[in-house]
Amino acid sequence: MHMLVLVITLLLMAAVAWFFVSAVRQSPEGAGSGNLASRRTPLIWGMVIVGLVVSGATLWPYPHAVSAGDDIVTVNATGAQWSWKIDVEQVPADRTVVFNAHTEDVNHGLGIYGPDGRLHVQVQAMPGYVNQVEHVFDEPGLYQVLCMEFCGVAHHDMIAEFNVVAN
Ligand SMILES: [Cu+2]
């Protein structure tokens, strides 16, 4: 499946590149106002270089490796239409918590909201996979687990809770 997606993506990228090359070849020499036309090539290369630098700098830390060690708290979260099963009622603050997100039926989205209503972490929950995400909660309080992927008529009822307690 992944290979098929890769091949389709590469074919579509080749089609887009072919359109760009065709457009450039069919444009008349020296098109555009004189001063601007002479700066076109360095401008395009400048934008490409800036794009590569910005993309590389902002994507560099990915993918994250999930930490290992004795100090890790593991939480198993299983979604099903239409509830979450969370195997803990509380986790400690200021420690790394690894969430193992899984689902028994369709795709769900594990989203964890803090007491202030702010989204702290999210990960897709997919049938046949256990997706991991880690987070360190620095504010104690009642956190809510909501579904971030529309999964049917009672999607909005997929709410679970756990407490983050001070260490
Ligand atoms: Cu849902």
Side-chain angles (χ1 to χ4, degrees):
M1 184 66 185
H2 290 110
M3 187 55 72
L4 178 65
V5 171
L6 177 65
V7 168
I8 291 171
T9 302
L10 290 175
L11 287 174
L12 291 174
M13 289 170 65
V16 170
W18 181 82
F19 278 114
F20 273 103
V21 169
S22 297
V24 168
R25 283 194 175 155
Q26 290 175 11
S27 68
E29 278 296 316
S33 60
N35 200 13
L36 188 62
S38 67
R39 283 192 255 159
R40 185 182 303 148
T41 300
L43 183 65
I44 288 174
W45 278 111
M47 291 188 325
V48 167
I49 290 168
V50 168
L52 289 174
V53 168
V54 169
S55 298
T58 55
L59 297 176
W60 187 254
Y62 298 96
H64 291 294
V66 171
S67 305
D70 295 337
D71 214 28
I72 304 295
V73 177
T74 301
V75 176
N76 296 305
T78 302
Q81 289 169 316
W82 287 278
S83 63
W84 288 106
K85 275 187 253 167
I86 310 289
D87 68 346
V88 297
E89 291 181 6
Q90 64 181 43
V91 298
D94 301 321
R95 276 183 54 191
T96 301
V97 180
V98 174
F99 290 90
N100 294 322
H102 174 66
T103 170
E104 294 174 346
D105 42 39
V106 300
N107 275 8
H108 298 282
L110 178 85
I112 299 172
Y113 287 81
D116 56 354
R118 188 170 60 92
L119 178 64
H120 282 254
V121 64
Q122 66 171 327
V123 66
Q124 192 76 13
M126 303 155 63
Y129 295 88
V130 176
N131 291 336
Q132 292 185 310
V133 66
E134 64 178 46
H135 188 66
V136 177
F137 296 97
D138 50 11
E139 285 292 324
L142 184 65
Y143 285 68
Q144 286 194 317
V145 177
L146 304 180
C147 184
M148 307 286 289
E149 175 86 38
F150 182 73
C151 56
V153 292
H155 159 74
H156 60 280
D157 272 344
M158 289 186 66
I159 302 171
E161 294 178 334
F162 64 88
N163 275 298
V164 172
V165 293
N167 242 339

